[in-house]
Amino acid sequence: MDRAGVGKVCLALPAATLDHPFGDHHDAYRVGGKMFAMVGEQGGVSFKVSDIAYEVLTESGHARPAPYLARAGWVNLPQIDDWADDELAEHLAIAHSIVAAKLTRKARAALGL
C-alpha cells in the first residue's frame, strides 16, 4: 500500500475526513474531528491501537511507538508498505472504530455512527 492507498482505505470508513493540520505533506484522517491515522511526508504511517495491540505490536517489533503520540496508544510504521495491504487496512478500520467509540453519543448520532 502507498499513501494514496491509505487515503482510499481511510476515506471509505464512515464519516472519515482528511485534513492537513501539519502542512500539505502530512495527511490526517479524522472521525468526528478526532484523528485516528496520519501519513507523514517521509512515507510513514501512524495510527491508534488498543492497549493490548500496542504492547503486542511494539514488543514484537512489528511497529514502533509513534513519535509524540505513543502515550495515547499510537504506533508507527516507518514505511507504509511494511505490512500487507489487508493487514494495514484492518488496523486502520480498528483505529477508526476505537476513536469513533470515544465520541459522545450525540456526536456519533450526528455522524450516523
Side-chain angles (χ1 to χ4, degrees):
M1 190 177 303
D2 59 5
R3 185 176 181 167
V6 170
K8 186 176 179 180
V9 168
C10 289
L11 292 175
L13 298 168
T17 60
L18 167 65
D19 71 354
H20 301 93
F22 309 111
D24 291 338
H25 301 292
H26 290 82
D27 299 338
Y29 297 95
R30 299 175 184 268
V31 58
K34 304 290 185 183
M35 194 165 55
F36 67 90
M38 184 174 68
V39 178
E41 71 178 311
Q42 296 178 349
V45 61
S46 297
F47 50 90
K48 176 79 172 155
V49 294
S50 69
D51 293 339
I52 293 171
Y54 180 86
E55 287 184 36
V56 170
L57 293 171
T58 57
E59 289 178 11
S60 68
H62 281 82
R64 66 181 188 180
Y68 309 107
L69 297 169
R71 70 186 188 318
W74 282 59
V75 296
N76 173 266
L77 302 177
Q79 295 298 318
I80 295 172
D81 60 0
D82 282 351
W83 285 357
D85 291 357
D86 58 339
E87 185 179 2
L88 181 55
E90 181 180 354
H91 277 281
L92 293 171
I94 291 168
H96 174 274
S97 65
I98 290 170
V99 173
K102 291 185 179 184
L103 297 173
T104 64
R105 187 176 311 151
K106 183 178 179 180
R108 287 193 311 269
L111 293 170
L113 302 173

